[in-house]
Amino acid sequence: MPGQSVLRDATINALMAHAGRSTLAFKAAHTDRQYATAFWFNDLVESTPDSEVIRQYLVTAAEATRHDTAELTLRPELCEPVMSAEKLLMTDFAEGWTVLGDLGVAVMPTAGLHAHGRRKGWSWTTDEITDGLAAHHEDIAGIGDGPLPAYILGHDVGETSGERQQAVVVGHVARGQDGHIHWDSTVPEGCVGAPVFTGDELGGDSFKLVCVGLVLPGEKQNRIATFDLIRTAVREAAASATVPTAEPITESAAEQGPDQGTERRPSWWRRKPRKR
């Protein structure tokens, strides 16, 4: 259907414009295996007319974090100034993550990453999955057993060089007989832990971009850990102090630029009609 094609293109465009710098490719160091994708998440702790308080984490599949040392790929658009080194080795990698119950998800506060950049004279220039993008209960409840167009934003693995190019993988999600949300096709190597998005039509020319959750490992089931459960688990872990220090970040309205912060990015977009 032409309408579906327009929605697909508009969703991908919005996805890349507002979350294209949210993903981080990594793998176990010194080996050509165990490739995965993590992404930046801003948990909105408090919001007032004058300020917002967030806690920032890296999020990925828990199974992908079980390495003593990991190799992170530093894409040029993630650093300012651009770094000459394309890789960042992180030691004691597994110890930095907190596994969220039985969700299959792990989180890491980003304070250490920011501190590393400051010591080296650069800063991270990322997008984040914000409260306006991350799915809430009603978003997940609206996914039925029929296929819903969806998009993985992850880092595939080059067949010969192992290069970690970012890719938008087009497919569908649906609710399985087990009650969980599943991806309907093969997940490329390296996209475990990557965020999954949908573009939900709102009527007329408008649609809502939603980050449903992240891809869990498993070739047959391709289950998605959904953000309604992730958000709750992160806050419970923070409240019980089982997550290592995640310093709240307070931003006043005067400090918030057009491309920074949590709620300033809209959760819906208007499609642009195709030129004829």
Side-chain angles (χ1 to χ4, degrees), residues 159-233:
E159 294 183 4
T160 56
S161 64
E163 191 175 6
R164 304 301 305 280
Q165 293 291 336
Q166 189 183 58
V168 178
V169 185
V170 179
H172 297 82
V173 293
R175 189 176 302 276
Q177 294 183 353
D178 59 1
H180 295 294
I181 308 302
H182 295 267
W183 181 259
D184 72 336
S185 55
T186 301
V187 175
E189 183 182 12
C191 290
V192 166
V196 182
F197 298 82
T198 59
D200 300 339
E201 293 193 80
L202 298 177
D205 292 328
S206 300
F207 69 97
K208 180 182 180 182
L209 182 65
V210 177
C211 183
V212 175
L214 65 85
V215 182
L216 295 175
E219 294 182 1
K220 293 184 178 180
Q221 298 208 0
N222 293 334
R223 189 161 67 84
I224 307 299
T226 55
F227 241 119
D228 57 335
L229 301 179
I230 294 171
R231 182 188 287 103
T232 298

Side-chain angles (χ1 to χ4, degrees), residues 3-238:
Q4 288 298 317
S5 178
V6 172
L7 177 59
R8 179 198 63 203
D9 293 346
T11 302
I12 292 174
N13 289 339
L15 169 58
M16 293 307 299
H18 295 273
R21 297 181 300 173
S22 66
T23 61
L24 188 62
F26 72 97
K27 71 179 185 71
H30 314 303
T31 182
D32 292 326
R33 58 187 178 88
Q34 297 176 314
Y35 296 93
T37 298
F39 60 92
W40 299 69
F41 166 53
N42 281 358
D43 184 29
L44 180 61
V45 178
E46 180 183 347
S47 179
T48 70
D50 297 322
S51 68
E52 293 174 344
V53 179
I54 63 172
R55 287 190 172 96
Q56 190 178 81
Y57 303 92
L58 275 186
V59 186
T60 192
E63 190 171 310
T65 65
R66 299 168 183 169
H67 320 306
D68 292 332
T69 305
E71 179 184 287
L72 283 60
T73 300
L74 294 180
R75 291 184 284 145
E77 60 267 32
L78 299 185
C79 308
E80 177 62 40
V82 175
M83 298 298 297
S84 58
E86 297 180 355
K87 306 294 181 183
L88 173 64
L89 288 181
M90 182 179 290
T91 58
D92 300 322
F93 186 67
E95 296 179 10
W97 295 87
T98 297
V99 177
L100 301 179
D102 60 357
L103 292 182
V105 176
V107 298
M108 174 191 288
T110 61
L113 292 171
H114 288 293
H116 174 82
R118 287 193 297 270
R119 289 196 301 269
K120 298 297 184 179
W122 57 272
S123 59
W124 293 92
T125 53
T126 63
D127 295 323
E128 299 83 34
I129 304 304
T130 65
D131 195 69
L133 289 177
H136 290 263
H137 173 76
E138 58 270 23
D139 298 309
I140 303 303
I143 300 176
D145 57 6
L148 179 67
Y151 312 86
I152 297 175
L153 183 63
H155 292 269
D156 201 356
V157 182
E159 294 183 4
T160 56
S161 64
E163 191 175 6
R164 304 301 305 280
Q165 293 291 336
Q166 189 183 58
V168 178
V169 185
V170 179
H172 297 82
V173 293
R175 189 176 302 276
Q177 294 183 353
D178 59 1
H180 295 294
I181 308 302
H182 295 267
W183 181 259
D184 72 336
S185 55
T186 301
V187 175
E189 183 182 12
C191 290
V192 166
V196 182
F197 298 82
T198 59
D200 300 339
E201 293 193 80
L202 298 177
D205 292 328
S206 300
F207 69 97
K208 180 182 180 182
L209 182 65
V210 177
C211 183
V212 175
L214 65 85
V215 182
L216 295 175
E219 294 182 1
K220 293 184 178 180
Q221 298 208 0
N222 293 334
R223 189 161 67 84
I224 307 299
T226 55
F227 241 119
D228 57 335
L229 301 179
I230 294 171
R231 182 188 287 103
T232 298
V234 165
R235 293 176 180 176
E236 289 177 349

